[in-house]
C-alpha cells in the first residue's frame, strides 16, 4: 500500500490529515486542534454510543481473558500436584509390597525352621538319645564292658584328688556342682516324660500363611469346615473343650426316621444371649433344628428323636463327641488360635505331630455308637447275630 493511499484513507476518516480544496494529487495537510475538536463535536450521538460500546466490549473481553487465564493457571497447578501425589502413592505402594514380600519370605523360613526343630525333637524322643534317659532308667542297674553290673543311681561326677604330704587323697566334688548336675538331670527327665505323654495327632496340609487348609476330613464321618473364633467371654470353654463362635462341621450318622440309612448332620456353634449356643440340623430335613446350651444336651436331643422314631434306645456317654470339639487335632488347632490364652478354665495339653498313623492316639468317639455311624452299624449287626 502506497503512502498516498494511506494518507487518503486517514483524511477521509478525519484522523490528523485533510486534503485542502483545490489541491492537486499528493498534497495533504495536518488537522489543527480546533478542527479536530469541531469534528468531534459534529459527530452524531449514534457514533459516540458505538464507540463507547466498542470500548466496553474491549474491556469485557480483556477482563474475561484475565479470568480464564487465572483459572487455567490454577488448573495447571492442581494437575501438577495430583501428578506428584500419584507418583508418591505409587512409590509407597511399591515399598509396602516389597515389605510384605520380605515379611512373607521370613515367615516361611521361620515356619520351616520350627517344623525342622519339631521333627528333630520328635526324632530324639523316638530314638531315645543320651539325654532322654528317665529317672527310672537312671536308677536301674546296667552292665559294663567287663560284665559287671554297675548301679546307675550312684552315677556322679568323678572325685577330685589332691596330694597331702606325699600321699594321694581323694576329695568329693563340690556339693553345689553336684546339686546343679542333679537338677539338670531332673529337668531333662521331666521334658522326656512330657514328650512320652504327649498326644499323637496326624499331620494336615497348611497354606502359605501357616493356616490349615479346610475342609479337614477326619475319621468317623467327621468333616471340619470352619474352626471359628475364640470368644473372650465366660462360658465358652471347659476343662476339655473350647467352644469357638462360628465353628462348623458335618457328621455322618443314622437318619432320624430310619436307623439303617445314614444322614449328614450339620453342627454349628453360635453366640447366644448368655453363652454359646449349639445347633444340629439334618440335611435331609432342614426344617428340623436342635438347639441347646451344651453340645452333649444338643446331641442328646438328636438321640431321643432317633429313639422315638426307630425304637432303638440310644443315650449319650462319656465317649460321645458329636461336634468333634474333643478331638485331639481340633484341640491342637484351637490351642494355636488367637485368644486361646483367655480360656482360663481350659487344661492345656501337649501334642505331637506324627506321620505314621499307627502311632496316633486313639480317639474314643470314633468307636462310640452314639457318635460314629460305622460303630453303630457294627453294634446293630452284632446284636442281631446274638
Amino acid at each position: 500500500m502506497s503512502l498516498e493511499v494511506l494518507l487518503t484513507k486517514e483524511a477521509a476518516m478525519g484522523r490528523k490529515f485533510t486534503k485542502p480544496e483545490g489541491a492537486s494529487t499528493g498534497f495533504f495537510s495536518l488537522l489543527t486542534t480546533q478542527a479536530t475538536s469541531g469534528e468531534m463535536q459534529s459527530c452524531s450521538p449514534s457514533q459516540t454510543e458505538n464507540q463507547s460500546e466498542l470500548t466496553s466490549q474491549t474491556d469485557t473481553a480483556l477482563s474475561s481473558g484475565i479470568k480464564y487465564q487465572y483459572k487455567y493457571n490454577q488448573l495447571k497447578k492442581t494437575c501438577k500436584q495430583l501428578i506428584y501425589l500419584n507418583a508418591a502413592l505409587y512409590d509407597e505402594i511399591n515399598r509396602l509390597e516389597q515389605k510384605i514380600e520380605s515379611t512373607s519370605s521370613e515367615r516361611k523360613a521361620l515356619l520351616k525352621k520350627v517344623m525342622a526343630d519339631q521333627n528333630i525333637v520328635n526324632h530324639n524322643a523316638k530314638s531315645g538319645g543320651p539325654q532322654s534317659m528317665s529317672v527310672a532308667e537312671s536308677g536301674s542297674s546296667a552292665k559294663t564292658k567287663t560284665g559287671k553290673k554297675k548301679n546307675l543311681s550312684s552315677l556322679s561326677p568323678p572325685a577330685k584328688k589332691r596330694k597331702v604330704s606325699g600321699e594321694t587323697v581323694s576329695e568329693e566334688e563340690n556339693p553345689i556342682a553336684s546339686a546343679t548336675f542333679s537338677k539338670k538331670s531332673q529337668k531333662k527327665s521331666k521334658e522326656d516324660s512330657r514328650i512320652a505323654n504327649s498326644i499323637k495327632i496326624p499331620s494336615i496340609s497348611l497354606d502359605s500363611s501357616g493356616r490349615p487348609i479346610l475342609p479337614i476330613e477326619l475319621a468317623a464321618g467327621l468333616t471340619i469346615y470352619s474352626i471359628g473364633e475364640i470368644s473372650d467371654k465366660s462360658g465358652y470353654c471347659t476343662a476339655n473343650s473350647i467352644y469357638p463362635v462360628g465353628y462348623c462341621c458335618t457328621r455322618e450318622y443314622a437318619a432320624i426316621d430310619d436307623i439303617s440309612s445314614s444322614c449328614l448332620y450339620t453342627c454349628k456353634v453360635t453366640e447366644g444371649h448368655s453363652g454359646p449356643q449349639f445347633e444340629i440340623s439334618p440335611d435331609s430335613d432342614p426344617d428340623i433344628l436342635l438347639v441347646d446350651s451344651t453340645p452333649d444336651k444338643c446331641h442328646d436331643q438328636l438321640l431321643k428323636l432317633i429313639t422315638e422314631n426307630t425304637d432303638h434306645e440310644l443315650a449319650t456317654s462319656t465317649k460321645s463327641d458329636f461336634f468333634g470339639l474333643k478331638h485331639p487335632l481340633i484341640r491342637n488347632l484351637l490351642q494355636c488360635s488367637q485368644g486361646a490364652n483367655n480360656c482360663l478354665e481350659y487344661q492345656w495339653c501337649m501334642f505331637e505331630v506324627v506321620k505314621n498313623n499307627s502311632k496316633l492316639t486313639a480317639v474314643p468317639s470314633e468307636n462310640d455308637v452314639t457318635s460314629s455311624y460305622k460303630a453303630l452299624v457294627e453294634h446293630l449287626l452284632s446284636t442281631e447275630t446274638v
Side-chain angles (χ1 to χ4, degrees), residues 9 74 77-78 88 92 113 164 189 196 202 243 307 335 371 381:
K9 287 184 176 181
Q74 291 295 323
K77 185 178 180 181
T78 305
E92 183 67 16
K113 187 175 180 181
V164 179
S189 63
Y243 303 143
T307 302
Q335 285 187 182
S371 301
L381 292 176

Side-chain angles (χ1 to χ4, degrees), residues 140-198:
S140 61
S141 299
K143 289 186 177 181
T144 60
K145 293 183 179 179
T146 57
K148 296 181 180 180
K149 291 185 178 180
K150 186 177 180 180
N151 190 2
L152 296 180
S153 60
S154 61
L155 186 62
S156 61
K160 292 182 179 180
K161 294 182 179 181
R162 58 185 178 87
K163 289 185 178 181
V164 179
S165 65
E167 296 180 358
T168 302
V169 180
S170 63
E171 62 179 4
E172 294 182 355
E173 186 72 20
N174 189 356
I176 299 177
S178 61
T180 305
F181 177 78
S182 62
K183 287 182 180 179
K184 288 183 178 179
S185 61
Q186 290 177 3
K187 186 176 180 180
K188 291 177 183 178
S189 63
K190 287 182 180 179
E191 292 179 356
D192 296 335
S193 62
R194 285 185 61 190
I195 294 174
N197 296 330
S198 61

Side-chain angles (χ1 to χ4, degrees), residues 153-275:
S153 60
S154 61
L155 186 62
S156 61
K160 292 182 179 180
K161 294 182 179 181
R162 58 185 178 87
K163 289 185 178 181
V164 179
S165 65
E167 296 180 358
T168 302
V169 180
S170 63
E171 62 179 4
E172 294 182 355
E173 186 72 20
N174 189 356
I176 299 177
S178 61
T180 305
F181 177 78
S182 62
K183 287 182 180 179
K184 288 183 178 179
S185 61
Q186 290 177 3
K187 186 176 180 180
K188 291 177 183 178
S189 63
K190 287 182 180 179
E191 292 179 356
D192 296 335
S193 62
R194 285 185 61 190
I195 294 174
N197 296 330
S198 61
I199 301 174
K200 311 297 188 297
I201 59 175
S203 60
I204 58 175
S205 301
L206 304 176
D207 58 8
S208 58
S209 60
R211 297 181 179 180
I213 298 176
L214 301 173
I216 303 174
E217 296 183 358
L218 301 175
L222 179 63
T223 304
I224 310 301
Y225 289 93
S226 176
I227 299 298
E229 297 181 356
I230 299 176
S231 176
D232 56 353
K233 298 180 181 179
S234 60
Y236 283 82
C237 68
T238 61
N240 300 322
S241 303
I242 298 176
Y243 303 143
V245 178
Y247 175 83
C248 180
C249 70
T250 58
R251 170 82 75 170
E252 182 185 5
Y253 197 62
I256 294 176
D257 53 352
D258 186 9
I259 200 171
S260 61
S261 61
S262 63
C263 176
L264 199 64
Y265 294 88
T266 302
C267 307
K268 295 180 180 180
V269 180
T270 59
E271 186 175 3
H273 296 289
S274 59

Side-chain angles (χ1 to χ4, degrees), residues 67 121 126 176 211:
K67 180 175 67 175
V121 171
K126 293 176 183 178
I176 299 177
R211 297 181 179 180

